[in-house]
């Protein structure tokens, strides 16, 4: 493994505090490239993430933008700044009026990274316009901030004309870039939902909007366990996911499955939140439908139900627990063994 790490990363890593760390030393501690990908939720390449070597915590997820925007290192060590500081400045409405970013204070804010050239973005925008209207009509203090990834100002203007919210001026490329850096944006469309203090509620605003078209669950605090649907299946690519497949034709089976694994999910999430880290697993319950059938086919899973699995799409690996009855003890042991690297993966 040391050779593989060295081939990709070189002989020495330089941490954010300047300390040199031998790649072989990392390999000797059992660190693998796959673990690094999963730990830092890397979904595409090239990707450059700055971490604090003493804690392992992320300093900046979007290092490529840092290098582009600050080649002299004047802002080193590039740590995260409050949303209010990064967004500070004039904002636009599509009628040409401007307002100060301080107008966002006291509201929930959806930071919307999108572009006209992106078909999924345009589809989401149509849904989001209706969601925005419903939330505002319900008396909620909510604003959306459009951060454009359009390729020209004309495209930006055309796209923004469809939006009833505010935007960072297209000409202010530096501020748009800083917002991308702040949230480590790796793809669009992305909707980050913030609370009135500017703290992140969810990075999965796109999924929430599509799953909750009536906006009954706004502001969409994350659920420990999700029901696997067409709209949130994209999250399977974000890292290892525990998926409990059930027979949804059995009334109440899906809800019972959620209740079974929720305490375990909550414990894992709380443990890593206390360390200010993202949980190493997402948790899903999957019923019987065309999307689930396609997932079973793609991952070559047996047709059994219930079926307990951990799917790691980036590693093309799966871990399967095919037993007659799924109990909390079985789930907890399965998760613990996975996190302790005691399970042998099968190829997808």
């Amino acid at each position: 493994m040391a050779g593989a790490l060295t081939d990709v990363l070189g002989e020495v890593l330089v941490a954010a505090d300047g300390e040199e760390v031998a790649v072989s030393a990392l390999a000797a501690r059992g660190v693998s490239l796959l673990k690094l990908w999963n730990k830092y939720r890397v979904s595409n390449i090239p990707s450059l993430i700055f971490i604090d070597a003493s804690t392992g915590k992320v300093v900046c997820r979007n290092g490529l933008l840092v290098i582009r925007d600050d080649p002299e290192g004047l802002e080193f060590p590039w740590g995260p700044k409050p949303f209010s500081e990064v967004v500070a400045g004039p904002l636009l409405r599509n009628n040409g009026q401007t307002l100060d970013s301080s107008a966002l204070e006291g509201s929930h804010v959806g930071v919307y990274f999108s572009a006209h050239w992106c078909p999924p973005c345009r589809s989401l925008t149509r849904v989001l316009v209706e969601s925005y209207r419903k939330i505002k009509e319900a008396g909620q203090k909510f604003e959306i901030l459009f951060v454009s990834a359009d390729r020209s100002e004309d495209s930006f203007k055309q796209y923004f004309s469809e939006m009833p919210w505010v935007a960072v001026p297209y000409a202010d490329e530096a501020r748009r870039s800083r917002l991308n850096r702040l949230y480590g944006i790796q793809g669009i469309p992305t909707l980050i939902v913030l609370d009135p203090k500017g703290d992140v509620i969810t990075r999965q605003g796109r999924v929430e909007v599509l799953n909750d078209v009536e906006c009954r669950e706004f502001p969409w605090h994350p659920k420990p366990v999700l029901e696997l649907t067409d709209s949130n299946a994209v999250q399977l690519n974000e890292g290892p996911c525990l998926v409990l497949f059930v027979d949804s034709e059995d009334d109440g089976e899906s809800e019972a499955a959620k209740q079974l694994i929720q305490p375990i999910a909550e414990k894992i999430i709380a443990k890593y939140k206390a360390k200010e880290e993202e949980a190493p697993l997402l948790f899903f319950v999957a019923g019987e439908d065309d999307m689930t059938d396609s997932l079973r086919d793609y991952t070559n899973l047996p047709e059994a139900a219930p079926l307990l699995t951990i799917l790691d799409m980036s590693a093309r690996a799966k871990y399967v627990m095919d037993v007659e009855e799924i109990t909390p003890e079985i789930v907890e042991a399965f998760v613990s063994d996975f996190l302790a690297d005691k399970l042998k993966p099968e190829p997808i």
Side-chain angles (χ1 to χ4, degrees), residues 32-308:
S32 69
L33 288 176
L34 177 58
K35 286 184 180 179
L36 290 173
W37 277 67
N38 286 338
K39 179 176 179 63
Y40 298 113
R41 299 285 173 92
V42 175
S43 59
N44 57 20
I45 55 174
S47 186
L48 177 61
I49 297 172
F50 295 109
I51 64 172
D52 183 329
S54 63
T55 65
K57 293 180 180 177
V58 173
V59 174
C60 176
R61 290 190 176 277
N62 221 327
L64 296 176
L65 283 179
V66 167
I67 290 173
R68 187 194 73 180
D69 296 345
D70 185 27
E72 302 299 322
L74 300 178
E75 298 179 26
F76 180 85
W78 305 302
K81 297 177 180 178
F83 169 72
S84 59
E85 180 179 337
V86 176
V87 77
L91 303 177
L92 288 178
R93 293 202 178 276
N94 62 15
N95 61 5
Q97 292 181 341
T98 63
L99 68 161
D100 190 77
S101 59
S102 60
L104 301 177
E105 294 176 3
S107 297
H108 287 86
V109 177
V111 189
Y112 185 36
F113 298 86
S114 185
H116 187 264
W117 53 262
C118 164
C121 294
R122 297 197 301 273
S123 296
L124 179 61
T125 296
R126 287 191 289 271
V127 177
L128 191 54
V129 167
E130 287 303 305
S131 298
Y132 177 80
R133 179 184 59 79
K134 290 173 183 176
I135 294 168
K136 300 282 276 188
E137 287 179 354
Q140 300 271 15
K141 296 191 70 176
F142 180 52
E143 192 53 76
I144 294 177
L145 175 66
F146 173 41
V147 184
S148 174
D150 287 295
R151 293 166 176 162
S152 70
E153 184 148 12
D154 287 342
S155 293
F156 162 75
K157 289 178 179 178
Q158 179 184 350
Y159 193 29
F160 186 41
S161 68
E162 306 168 10
M163 302 177 184
W165 43 75
V166 298
V168 176
Y170 185 80
D172 196 342
E173 184 177 356
R175 191 159 34 137
R176 290 191 287 121
S177 182
R178 286 195 296 270
L179 286 162
N180 273 271
R181 285 163 45 188
L182 179 62
Y183 298 113
I185 301 303
Q186 298 190 36
I188 55 173
T190 294
L191 178 65
I192 310 285
V193 182
L194 310 179
D195 68 16
K197 295 180 180 179
D199 296 327
V200 173
I201 293 176
T202 179
R203 299 179 59 86
Q204 300 297 333
R206 173 190 182 184
V207 172
E208 299 293 352
V209 165
L210 295 175
N211 281 345
D212 181 28
V213 293
E214 296 302 322
C215 307
R216 294 190 178 98
E217 298 181 3
F218 175 83
W220 303 303
H221 289 279
K223 300 180 182 68
V225 182
L226 297 173
E227 186 169 345
L228 191 61
T229 64
D230 288 334
S231 59
N232 64 25
V234 66
Q235 292 177 258
L236 293 174
N237 295 312
E238 296 187 1
C241 299
L242 182 142
V243 184
L244 176 54
F245 293 87
V246 298
D247 181 3
S248 60
E249 294 181 0
D250 186 345
D251 290 343
E253 186 73 16
S254 292
E255 187 58 35
K258 287 181 187 177
Q259 295 302 318
L260 186 150
I261 62 178
Q262 181 157 324
I264 298 159
E266 289 175 341
K267 185 162 69 172
I268 294 293
I269 292 167
K271 176 182 176 181
Y272 283 85
K273 184 177 181 180
K275 299 190 290 185
E276 297 183 355
E277 296 180 8
E278 292 187 32
L281 274 174
L282 298 176
F283 295 83
F284 292 91
V285 169
E288 293 290 337
D289 54 33
D290 291 342
M291 191 277 295
T292 301
D293 289 343
S294 297
L295 177 62
R296 283 185 185 265
D297 291 342
Y298 177 75
T299 55
N300 195 26
L301 289 171
E303 292 298 322
L307 182 69
L308 183 63

Side-chain angles (χ1 to χ4, degrees), residues 292-329:
T292 301
D293 289 343
S294 297
L295 177 62
R296 283 185 185 265
D297 291 342
Y298 177 75
T299 55
N300 195 26
L301 289 171
E303 292 298 322
L307 182 69
L308 183 63
T309 68
I310 292 175
L311 304 178
D312 190 342
M313 296 302 196
S314 62
R316 298 188 63 80
K318 64 185 178 186
Y319 307 81
V320 181
M321 177 71 71
D322 187 0
V323 295
E324 187 171 333
E325 182 181 6
I326 306 294
T327 66
E329 293 75 21

Side-chain angles (χ1 to χ4, degrees), residues 1-13 22-24 27 33:
M1 181 56 67
L5 281 167
T6 302
D7 289 344
V8 176
L9 300 176
E11 292 290 341
V12 171
L13 298 175
V23 169
S24 58
L33 288 176

